[in-house]
Amino acid sequence: MLGALGLSTDQESVYRRLVGRTAASSADLADATHLPEATVRAALSQLVADGLVKRTPDGEFSAAPPAVALGALISERRDGLHTAELALVTLAEEHRVAMAGRSINELIEVVTGVDGIRHRFAQVQHAARTQVRNFVTAPFVAVPPGTNTLETVMMDRGVTYRVVLERAALAEPGMIAETVASLRKGVQVRVVESLPIKLVLADAELGLVPLTVESGGEPGAVLLHRSGLLSAMDALFEIVWRHAHPLDVSALAGLTDDDDVTAADAGAPTELDRKILALLLAGLTDHVVANQLDISLRTLQRRLRHLMDIAGVKTRMELGWYAARHNWA
C-alpha cells in the first residue's frame, strides 16, 4: 500500500511493525517480520533517512507519527506529480512542433505482436486528455472483452469514451456483458451493421489501427501521430458515429435475469420483450438473440408475433418503427 510513496515491501513491513510499538530493536523487528536482521537494518537505515523512523537514546528505533511523516511524503509526491504535469504540457508542445516537420515514416509506426498491440492500446488511452473513440469489430485478438481495465481509470480522470460496435461483435462470448458494464460506467455506445476497420483514437493526437490478420500470421497495427491520415480517421469516426444506432443500458441490462415469458400485460411489452427488441434493433439475428437471452427460438418468435399484434402491424420493420415511437426499446 505504501509502495506508491517509494517504500519497498521490506521497508513497509518493518515500518508497520514499528508503528504498533513504542520502540523496538532491529532484532525484535527481525523476529516480528520474519526477515533477516541484515534486511531489517537496511530497511531501518532508509526509513531513518526518509524521516519515517528515528533512533531512541538507548539505540532502539521508534516510528515517527504517521500523520506527519507519511503526510510529508504524500505532499512531496503530489508536488512532484504537479511539476511532472507542467513538464508534460511543455514536452507535448515541443513534440507537436517537432512532429510538424517529420517525414511520413516518422508519423507512422508499425507495431507487431499481441503484446506490442496491447501495450500501444494502453498508451493511446493514457495519452487522451478529453476523449477516446473506438471502433470495435470481431475477432478480438489483443484485447478480448472484459480486459480493458484502463477504461474505468481514464473515465475517473474525466476522459469521455465513445464506442461504435459492429453488430457481429455483439454476438461474441462476453460482449453483451462487457457492453452493459461500459454503458453503466457512462460509455456512449452505438452499433452499426459493419465497420471497415478497428480503430482507437486519443483526442486528435494519436490513433491505433489494427491490421487484418492472415491465418497463422502475426497480428500487427499502425500507430498514427498527428497527420493528414489521422485527421481522416477522425473524420471517418464522426461520420460513422452520426449514423450509428445508440444502445441503451436499460434495455440491455439484466439479459441473464429470469423473465416470465407468458404472463404479461396484454397491452404492453414485458421486460423480456424490451430486451428482444433492443437486440433485434441492434441488428442481431433471431438465433443470436435467443442464445443471448437463453430462450428458445420458438419463444422469441412467439413474443414477436404478440408484440406485432399489440402494435397492430404486419412486418418487423413496422414493429421497429412502432417500438421506437413508443419507447419500447
Side-chain angles (χ1 to χ4, degrees), residues 118-132:
R118 189 179 295 125
H119 181 65
R120 288 303 194 197
F121 180 63
Q123 283 186 326
V124 169
Q125 292 180 87
H126 270 302
R129 292 294 173 266
T130 59
Q131 68 170 332
V132 171

Side-chain angles (χ1 to χ4, degrees), residues 163-176:
V163 177
V164 179
L165 297 173
E166 189 174 69
R167 280 172 177 156
L170 278 172
E172 294 292 314
M175 198 57 201
I176 290 291

Side-chain angles (χ1 to χ4, degrees), residues 171 255 279 285-297 300:
L255 290 178
L279 294 178
T285 66
D286 288 5
H287 286 283
V288 172
V289 172
N291 287 336
Q292 292 286 356
L293 297 176
D294 196 24
I295 60 176
S296 69
L297 185 61
L300 182 144

Side-chain angles (χ1 to χ4, degrees), residues 81-273:
L81 287 173
H82 180 64
T83 301
E85 287 178 346
L86 295 177
L88 172 61
V89 174
T90 301
L91 292 172
E93 179 59 20
E94 291 177 2
H95 183 259
R96 185 192 67 78
V97 173
M99 293 292 287
R102 292 171 70 179
S103 68
I104 188 64
N105 291 333
E106 295 174 302
L107 294 173
I108 299 177
E109 175 187 343
V110 178
V111 184
T112 57
V114 171
D115 289 340
I117 295 172
R118 189 179 295 125
H119 181 65
R120 288 303 194 197
F121 180 63
Q123 283 186 326
V124 169
Q125 292 180 87
H126 270 302
R129 292 294 173 266
T130 59
Q131 68 170 332
V132 171
R133 291 168 291 173
N134 196 1
F135 281 167
V136 177
T137 68
F140 303 106
V141 178
V143 188
T147 61
N148 183 24
T149 56
L150 268 178
E151 183 178 86
T152 300
V153 174
M154 297 306 296
M155 292 189 72
D156 288 343
R157 297 179 185 175
V159 175
T160 299
Y161 274 70
R162 288 193 286 152
V163 177
V164 179
L165 297 173
E166 189 174 69
R167 280 172 177 156
L170 278 172
E172 294 292 314
M175 198 57 201
I176 290 291
E178 166 86 349
T179 302
V180 170
S182 293
L183 286 167
R184 283 174 169 162
K185 286 185 290 189
V187 177
Q188 300 174 55
V189 182
R190 297 187 179 186
V191 64
V192 294
E193 181 64 31
S194 62
L195 289 168
I197 55 174
K198 294 178 184 286
L199 175 66
V200 185
L201 296 171
D203 302 326
E205 301 297 325
L206 281 177
L208 185 67
V209 184
L211 303 175
T212 302
V213 181
E214 298 295 336
S215 179
E218 186 178 38
V222 175
L223 183 67
L224 304 175
H225 295 272
R226 181 183 287 190
S227 61
L229 185 55
L230 184 61
S231 297
M233 296 297 100
D234 184 296
L236 173 64
F237 181 92
E238 294 303 329
I239 291 172
V240 173
W241 178 261
R242 285 197 295 271
H243 294 88
H245 175 75
L247 290 183
D248 185 359
V249 67
S250 63
L252 294 182
L255 290 178
T256 58
D257 293 343
D258 293 330
D259 288 279
D260 184 353
V261 297
T262 57
D265 181 349
T270 66
E271 190 63 27
L272 175 63
D273 293 335

Side-chain angles (χ1 to χ4, degrees), residues 25-32 37 40:
S25 66
S26 58
D28 293 336
L29 291 169
D31 290 338
E37 189 169 353
V40 171

